[in-house]
Amino acid sequence: MMLFSDFDARGYRTVDVRSGYGEWVRTYERSVEDVMDIGLLELLTEPSWERARRVADLGCGTGRTGAWLRERGAAAVDGVDLTPEMLDRARLRGAHDYLGEADVRDTGLAGGAYDLVVASLVDEHLADLAPLYGEAWRLAVSGGAFVLVGYHPHFIMHAGMPTHYTPPDGEPTAISTTVHLISDHVTAALEAGWRLAEMREGVIDEQWLAVKPQWKRFRNHPISVATVWRKP
């Protein structure tokens, strides 16, 4: 684990995950660009989303990922999140069959019940990756997949930018962020038993600059990463 404070270029006040997302929920949908995570999911060649009979959506938030999965043909999606306010928004969206308040490292969902487990934009808030990969392994059926989309460590370190939002008082606020190298993910996944099937990295390109023109200085730098793991 690397301390984000070693790279912090913003100096924002920092709050815990539950408090931060509980306050950010009002503007979250207008803040997170699809090119960050959904865009990478669309580039993956596997798994076959339409063949997913039952999906576990870890850190489901407002239901963005769950809704995308249902649109791609996933038959059933169960979601968990740490933040009640986020879950309220997800319920209004109506994409999930089940929603529960739980930690992604200890979901309370049935073991060996999901042919697809997904976690998007949550790993940077975890001090240790091993419990996440271990829980995903517990949830997945044999032959199942774990798809993780995360904030790229290179961008966190290069830009010195944590996950953050602007609350009603106008003071930019960071949510507790940890830097995990790609090798940290590989180590945690392999130790849990996963095998890497695919990996994609999202870079700041013209699509990004269309929504964030002020980021020209970051052109061609990786900002997000998606990995697909298989349970033998």
Side-chain angles (χ1 to χ4, degrees):
M1 181 182 70
M2 303 180 73
L3 297 176
F4 172 72
S5 58
D6 291 340
F7 308 98
D8 189 2
R10 299 296 183 95
Y12 298 151
R13 72 181 182 97
T14 302
V15 298
D16 64 88
V17 174
R18 189 169 186 172
S19 299
Y21 280 98
E23 191 170 44
W24 191 8
V25 68
R26 290 185 292 268
T27 58
Y28 185 82
E29 295 285 343
R30 301 194 300 273
S31 304
V32 179
E33 304 294 344
D34 283 355
V35 67
M36 181 77 168
D37 52 347
I38 299 299
L40 276 186
L41 291 176
E42 292 175 341
L43 292 177
L44 295 174
T45 60
E46 63 168 299
S48 298
W49 312 109
E50 68 276 6
R51 294 182 181 177
R53 298 182 302 276
R54 194 174 181 191
V55 183
D57 183 7
L58 310 187
C60 63
T62 60
R64 292 172 61 252
T65 305
W68 183 86
L69 289 165
R70 295 303 287 264
E71 290 169 1
R72 295 305 180 281
V77 183
D78 295 338
V80 297
D81 199 276
L82 192 64
T83 309
E85 294 87 347
M86 285 281 184
L87 289 167
D88 288 342
R89 294 297 177 94
R91 290 187 183 96
L92 290 174
R93 186 173 243 126
H96 293 82
D97 296 86
Y98 165 82
L99 286 167
E101 183 180 333
D103 192 298
V104 298
R105 298 161 294 187
D106 184 16
T107 64
L109 298 174
Y114 298 90
D115 51 327
L116 175 60
V117 181
V118 176
S120 183
L121 305 181
V122 299
D123 63 277
E124 75 270 21
H125 301 307
L126 304 177
D128 182 7
L129 295 173
L132 171 63
Y133 282 95
E135 177 67 355
W137 176 272
R138 185 187 71 82
L139 296 174
V141 300
S142 178
F146 176 36
V147 177
L148 184 143
V149 182
Y151 195 6
H152 203 293
H154 168 86
F155 195 81
I156 298 176
M157 293 186 287
H158 176 73
M161 187 186 303
T163 298
H164 65 281
Y165 66 99
T166 303
D169 65 11
E171 179 187 359
T173 301
I175 298 176
S176 179
T177 299
T178 299
V179 181
H180 297 293
L181 299 178
I182 301 298
S183 60
D184 296 331
H185 283 274
V186 173
T187 298
L190 294 180
E191 288 181 348
W194 294 103
R195 294 180 181 175
L196 183 63
E198 186 175 0
M199 177 176 172
R200 300 274 181 167
E201 293 172 288
V203 301
I204 303 296
D205 55 13
E206 296 308 315
Q207 186 179 9
W208 258 108
L209 294 178
V211 296
K212 293 279 189 181
Q214 70 272 27
W215 280 10
K216 287 183 179 180
R217 69 188 185 280
F218 299 131
R219 187 191 299 270
N220 295 327
H221 284 277
I223 185 171
S224 54
V225 57
T227 49
V228 180
W229 303 91
R230 282 284 178 190
K231 183 175 182 177

